[in-house]
Amino acid sequence: MSFFFFIIEAPIINIMQVKTFFLSFFLLTAFASAQNKVITLESIWDGTFSTRGIPSLHSMNDGKRYATYNFNRTDRSISVDVYDYQTNEKTETVLSTSDNQNLPRFSNYTFSPDESKLLLASEVEPIYRRSSKGIYFVVDVGGKNLIQISENQIQEPTFSPDATKVAYGFNNNLFVFDLSTKITTQITFDGQTNAIINGITDWVYEEEFSFVRAFEWNADGSQIGYIKFDESQVPEFSMDIYGQSLYPKQQVFKYPKAGEANSLVSLHIYHLGNDISEEVNLPQTYEDFYIPRIQWTQNKNKLSAQYMNRHQNKLDLWLIDTSSKTAELVLTETDAAYVDVTFDLSFLQDNSFIWTSEKDGFNHVYHYNENGKLIYQVTSGNWDVTALYGVDTASKTLFYQSVETGSINRAVYRISLDGKNKQLLTKSEGTNNAKFSADFSYFINTFSDAKTPPIFTLNDSKTGAVIRTIRDNESLLDKLKDYNLADKEFGTMEVNGHQVNMYIIKPKDFDSSKSYPLLMHQYSGPGSQNVSNQWNSSNDYWHQMLAQQGYIVACIDGIGTGFKGAAFKKATYLNLVQLETEDQIEAARQLGQRAYIDASRIGIWGWSFGGHVSTNSLLKGNDVFKMAIAVAPVTSWRFYDTIYTERYLRTPQENPGGYDNNSPLNYPEMLKRSFLLVHGSGDDNVHVQNSTRMAAALIAENKPFDWAIYPDFNHGIYGGKTRLHLYTKLTKFIKSNL
């Protein structure tokens, strides 16, 4: 580079004018520079864009105060602090490691029902997605009388209602620890690895029915209901764990793949008074069934249990009387496709209950008496209820969340149990999530939308009026001003005869006269949602980074996704991935017709179910997509678990075409464009078998492709700098092939 200097004649000017000129020039340059910061992969994964929240929020029983978990960065102390709802002033510190050196460094806390004690979790290690084991302590409020429950790492410790005992799981058996006598009583004795599990779910229940603790205390702490899993006949899956040793280890666990044997489940009641455990026998015989939920009613002798057939299209709700040893079938849900299992069952003081169902085509709330007779359908309309917050029995008012303000939004409502007097409590359009006080007088609302990071406000539950802001993320918004991010533009488009939600992110300096490459992102799984009016995830920042580098990013929630009614969600029944793939291909074709999109440079990527769809889209839409990325994809539903897969496809024995016609293993010759395949070798969920079989099929056809295996990493492929490494690879692949 050469520099040329010119000498020119110029009039004499005031020195202050010169200083003012250069100062103005400097400020303008600095401002322009600040306005043009670029997102880097490092900044996405180093916490630069993290948001502030309210960790481990617990509403105190008086309904006037709430507790949170706090970490002090100055002295690295941990505390549980209580705040006044109205003033947000800290009223007390329940306990703190800075005041009591004997307290362990705990990662979470749980109050006993009477709030006299706390359960502290320490040295917690994950097992699978939701399960973990750890060392647990019980301490009185104020930090006195610290008691270690067990020297072993235990699972799911839970206070009895009177806070005198803690039940927990260890080595596939159940135990009860008496806090006054320090005596541990073993409840079950037949627990055995890969054979019998008592009170803790097996792998497939944990993953697909979304719970780990399969035991429950009754109302007065005199009985414990629990599920026993006999997984002795379930086939085993093994994974090599390479680690750092000379020889790798092997992890072997029970994993029922579609069409294979499930655990045999049975329901049991343990009576603390006489130390007897007995099996529950129903008047109806079930074969090859699930027990996806158990829950005690307000009556100490009545346990509810949900029994579901293997096809998952029939769900029975039983009330079991443990004193008379009788059982009553109070409710049956059936569906031509499948019945979703939820956590929405709630028993009121009179033992009537709240229940949600899609039986009218949308997910709504129903109120039944204790014998299963319908009292009222509480909500109705062409929209889905998305969360139940509870019932204020004093005012007979139910609080819920729904998509009434649009399927990409969430709003909070109150309504009388008779379905009248419905009132919208949240006024901002976007995503609203409520956490109500114990007496339902207040709620802390978490609001965000695509332009607003989470704002936590205290709201009045009668009117929804904002009393004050508890916490916001204005500092993050100020930081993001320097990055000049593009808007996420929401809309809809008609694809294959139905309306789908979509968003599109264009470069900030978008010029409609130019032509841009397009990267599509999707998940597409049944009932899922990617197009949502809420604050950014890490993928959103990555997409913004790509937009800054000249790419357009779009996301389509095609047929089968959620919150648009049961018919839309269940349209893919028995034929998973075909219609979802056709929607992505057709959407890409339509987007490619827009003048500002280069139809020869369209790519697609996805993770897990989305990886399956992106792979299928590249193969079946090889005239549309130039490249695809599949991270941890399913490549054949024959490799995936019973509960999830059979819910949508039935068994391979019944529906072989549903499994094979849309498996890319069966048409690898259709690969014509660039393909990147990524998997973690320690993925206990979607096994790396899916990707190795896909690779083998492509190699057999002499099809070139790129792939990467992350050793010992699970389905999330995260930890340390792993995500940075992964997204660096994805970014380079996109730049080289799109």
Side-chain angles (χ1 to χ4, degrees):
M1 183 179 289
S2 301
F3 292 89
F4 298 91
F5 294 88
F6 297 90
I7 299 175
I8 60 174
E9 293 184 7
I12 297 174
I13 57 176
N14 186 287
I15 190 66
M16 289 304 296
Q17 290 177 307
V18 174
K19 288 182 177 180
T20 301
F21 170 79
F22 280 107
L23 178 60
S24 299
F25 178 79
F26 172 79
L27 291 174
L28 285 171
T29 303
F31 178 76
S33 176
Q35 286 285 304
N36 289 286
K37 277 188 177 180
V38 296
I39 297 175
T40 64
L41 289 166
E42 288 78 8
S43 65
I44 295 173
W45 302 111
D46 67 6
T48 296
F49 306 120
S50 60
T51 57
R52 299 170 67 231
I54 304 178
S56 300
L57 176 65
H58 167 81
S59 177
M60 305 298 284
N61 290 340
D62 60 15
K64 309 302 179 188
R65 300 171 302 148
Y66 66 92
T68 67
Y69 175 100
N70 287 322
F71 174 70
N72 188 319
R73 295 186 181 276
T74 304
D75 63 4
R76 305 193 67 77
S77 64
I78 302 167
S79 62
V80 177
D81 299 309
V82 177
Y83 298 83
D84 183 275
Y85 271 115
Q86 277 279 7
T87 66
N88 203 35
E89 293 181 358
K90 184 165 70 174
T91 61
E92 65 174 307
T93 294
V94 176
L95 55 84
S96 172
T97 57
S98 64
D99 299 332
N100 188 340
Q101 300 302 315
N102 294 322
L103 289 175
R105 295 197 64 77
F106 58 97
S107 56
N108 207 346
Y109 73 93
T110 305
F111 274 101
S112 62
D114 64 359
E115 295 178 346
S116 64
K117 300 179 178 69
L118 290 98
L119 182 68
L120 307 180
S122 181
E123 300 178 40
V124 176
E125 296 179 12
I127 302 175
Y128 297 119
R129 185 196 295 265
R130 296 175 177 86
S131 56
S132 62
K133 58 183 179 179
I135 301 295
Y136 288 85
F137 300 82
V138 171
V139 62
D140 291 341
V141 168
K144 299 178 181 179
N145 302 321
L146 182 69
I147 301 170
Q148 185 170 334
I149 296 172
S150 171
E151 293 181 355
N152 302 303
Q153 287 183 303
I154 61 176
Q155 289 186 264
E156 301 296 316
T158 306
F159 280 113
S160 62
D162 61 2
T164 62
K165 301 175 182 67
V166 173
Y168 63 88
F170 173 66
N171 280 353
N172 291 14
N173 282 312
L174 285 177
F175 299 79
V176 172
F177 179 73
D178 190 303
L179 293 168
S180 58
T181 66
K182 314 295 189 299
I183 295 174
T184 300
T185 301
Q186 187 168 345
I187 294 177
T188 66
F189 297 86
D190 56 349
Q192 183 180 347
T193 301
N194 287 338
I196 302 293
I197 315 173
N198 291 286
I200 302 294
T201 55
D202 66 1
W203 186 94
V204 71
Y205 269 63
E206 173 184 335
E207 177 66 27
E208 305 304 354
F209 287 140
S210 307
F211 75 114
V212 176
R213 179 165 57 87
F215 68 86
E216 297 283 343
W217 288 96
N218 73 338
D220 69 353
S222 62
Q223 301 173 73
I224 295 176
Y226 66 94
I227 305 172
K228 175 180 289 189
F229 298 82
D230 180 351
E231 57 178 2
S232 56
Q233 300 304 309
V234 177
E236 291 180 343
F237 188 83
S238 64
M239 298 188 303
D240 283 330
I241 307 299
Y242 298 98
Q244 301 297 320
S245 301
L246 185 60
Y247 291 91
K249 295 184 296 184
Q250 194 175 55
Q251 181 180 352
V252 179
F253 59 101
K254 298 288 187 168
Y255 186 106
K257 298 201 174 196
E260 300 296 315
N262 280 311
S263 290
L264 299 175
V265 290
S266 54
L267 182 59
H268 300 256
I269 308 293
Y270 173 73
H271 302 270
L272 278 76
N274 54 19
D275 193 25
I276 292 177
S277 187
E278 55 189 3
E279 183 175 347
V280 172
N281 293 305
L282 297 178
Q284 179 175 323
T285 302
Y286 288 88
E287 294 182 3
D288 213 357
F289 64 97
Y290 301 109
I291 307 177
R293 298 285 184 270
I294 60 171
Q295 182 179 339
W296 289 92
T297 70
Q298 303 291 339
N299 183 328
K300 67 178 182 179
N301 291 319
K302 284 197 175 182
L303 174 68
S304 75
Q306 298 177 35
Y307 282 66
M308 175 176 264
N309 65 339
R310 182 155 179 166
H311 282 162
Q312 300 176 63
N313 59 6
K314 183 173 182 287
L315 176 66
D316 290 336
L317 175 64
W318 289 89
L319 287 186
I320 298 151
D321 191 315
T322 60
S323 58
S324 65
K325 298 183 180 180
T326 59
E328 179 186 6
L329 179 60
V330 295
L331 189 67
T332 296
E333 285 277 337
T334 60
D335 192 281
Y338 54 87
V339 177
D340 278 320
V341 174
T342 74
F343 290 98
D344 292 340
L345 175 61
S346 178
F347 288 95
L348 307 185
Q349 288 299 320
D350 61 358
N351 276 320
S352 65
F353 59 92
I354 302 298
W355 178 266
T356 58
S357 171
E358 292 181 320
K359 63 184 180 180
D360 76 348
F362 293 87
N363 193 49
H364 282 298
V365 182
Y366 297 81
H367 184 199
Y368 294 89
N369 71 11
E370 62 180 331
N371 301 119
K373 181 180 179 181
L374 180 64
I375 301 173
Y376 288 110
Q377 179 174 343
V378 183
T379 65
S380 61
N382 294 336
W383 43 266
D384 287 320
V385 169
T386 46
L388 278 184
Y389 296 121
V391 176
D392 177 9
T393 54
S395 64
K396 296 184 179 180
T397 302
L398 179 139
F399 298 89
Y400 70 93
Q401 179 201 63
S402 75
V403 295
E404 290 173 70
T405 58
S407 59
I408 66 171
N409 299 316
R410 302 288 186 274
V412 179
Y413 291 82
R414 58 179 286 149
I415 191 170
S416 298
L417 281 178
D418 60 4
K420 300 177 181 177
N421 306 313
K422 183 169 70 173
Q423 184 178 354
L424 174 64
L425 296 177
T426 49
K427 314 304 180 187
S428 298
E429 186 174 285
T431 299
N432 295 273
N433 289 298
K435 177 76 173 180
F436 282 83
S437 61
D439 64 356
F440 291 98
S441 57
Y442 305 108
F443 66 95
I444 292 177
N445 187 54
T446 306
F447 167 77
S448 76
D449 62 20
K451 296 182 179 180
T452 312
I455 299 174
F456 300 85
T457 58
L458 178 68
N459 298 60
D460 182 276
S461 68
K462 291 184 175 62
T463 64
V466 175
I467 297 171
R468 59 180 175 78
T469 298
I470 298 173
R471 183 165 294 174
D472 59 31
N473 281 280
E474 284 296 325
S475 58
L476 175 59
L477 270 185
D478 289 340
K479 181 189 296 185
L480 289 174
K481 289 176 183 176
D482 294 341
Y483 289 87
N484 211 17
L485 301 184
D487 289 339
K488 182 182 284 188
E489 302 173 15
F490 292 100
T492 61
M493 63 188 305
E494 185 174 323
V495 175
N496 295 321
H498 46 262
Q499 290 289 320
V500 300
N501 292 331
M502 66 171 292
Y503 70 71
I504 191 165
I505 300 172
K506 301 171 184 173
K508 188 69 175 180
D509 59 355
F510 172 74
D511 183 343
S512 61
S513 66
K514 294 182 178 180
S515 183
Y516 297 86
L518 169 68
L519 178 68
M520 292 173 60
H521 173 239
Q522 46 67 49
Y523 177 74
S524 301
S528 66
Q529 184 175 60
N530 268 26
V531 182
S532 179
N533 189 11
Q534 62 181 349
W535 186 243
N536 296 335
S537 68
S538 297
N539 279 339
D540 288 309
Y541 287 108
W542 184 53
H543 294 155
Q544 287 281 354
M545 187 196 83
L546 293 173
Q548 288 181 340
Q549 296 178 16
Y551 293 89
I552 287 178
V553 178
C555 181
I556 309 294
D557 273 347
I559 193 76
T561 56
F563 312 110
K564 294 169 73 73
F568 188 88
K569 179 177 67 174
K570 297 176 181 179
T572 60
Y573 183 60
L574 298 181
N575 205 22
L576 212 56
V577 179
Q578 177 182 331
L579 299 180
E580 299 93 316
T581 299
E582 291 173 359
D583 273 9
Q584 297 301 318
I585 294 172
E586 175 59 23
R589 282 200 177 100
Q590 290 188 30
L591 290 170
Q593 293 171 3
R594 299 185 180 187
Y596 55 83
I597 290 178
D598 184 345
S600 68
R601 298 173 67 194
I602 300 178
I604 186 169
W605 87 280
W607 199 305
S608 194
F609 195 107
H612 191 336
V613 173
S614 63
T615 303
N616 262 24
S617 297
L618 183 66
L619 270 59
K620 293 191 172 184
N622 54 29
D623 60 332
V624 175
F625 290 104
K626 186 181 181 185
M627 54 76 61
I629 297 171
V631 183
V634 175
T635 58
S636 171
W637 290 109
R638 290 178 179 271
F639 299 152
Y640 203 55
D641 72 62
T642 50
I643 294 177
Y644 183 93
T645 312
E646 294 172 13
R647 181 185 300 151
Y648 310 116
L649 288 174
R650 298 205 171 184
T651 65
Q653 295 87 341
E654 297 171 284
N655 182 24
Y659 282 79
D660 298 334
N661 294 343
N662 298 295
S663 168
L665 300 182
N666 296 319
Y667 36 87
E669 71 281 358
M670 297 180 72
L671 180 65
K672 296 181 180 179
R673 317 298 280 276
S674 302
F675 182 47
L676 173 60
L677 182 61
V678 178
H679 222 118
S681 72
D683 192 336
D684 63 274
N685 184 359
V686 180
H687 304 145
V688 71
Q689 175 188 25
N690 286 271
S691 285
T692 58
R693 287 286 293 272
M694 189 70 227
L698 293 171
I699 291 167
E701 292 292 329
N702 195 30
K703 293 292 184 179
F705 66 100
D706 293 272
W707 73 321
I709 299 297
Y710 282 80
D712 297 342
F713 284 94
N714 65 16
H715 195 55
I717 313 181
Y718 64 90
K721 295 184 178 180
T722 309
R723 280 289 177 98
L724 175 59
H725 186 279
L726 170 61
Y727 277 79
T728 299
K729 179 175 289 294
L730 304 189
T731 304
K732 287 181 178 178
F733 184 81
I734 290 168
K735 288 185 174 181
S736 298
N737 295 282
L738 195 60

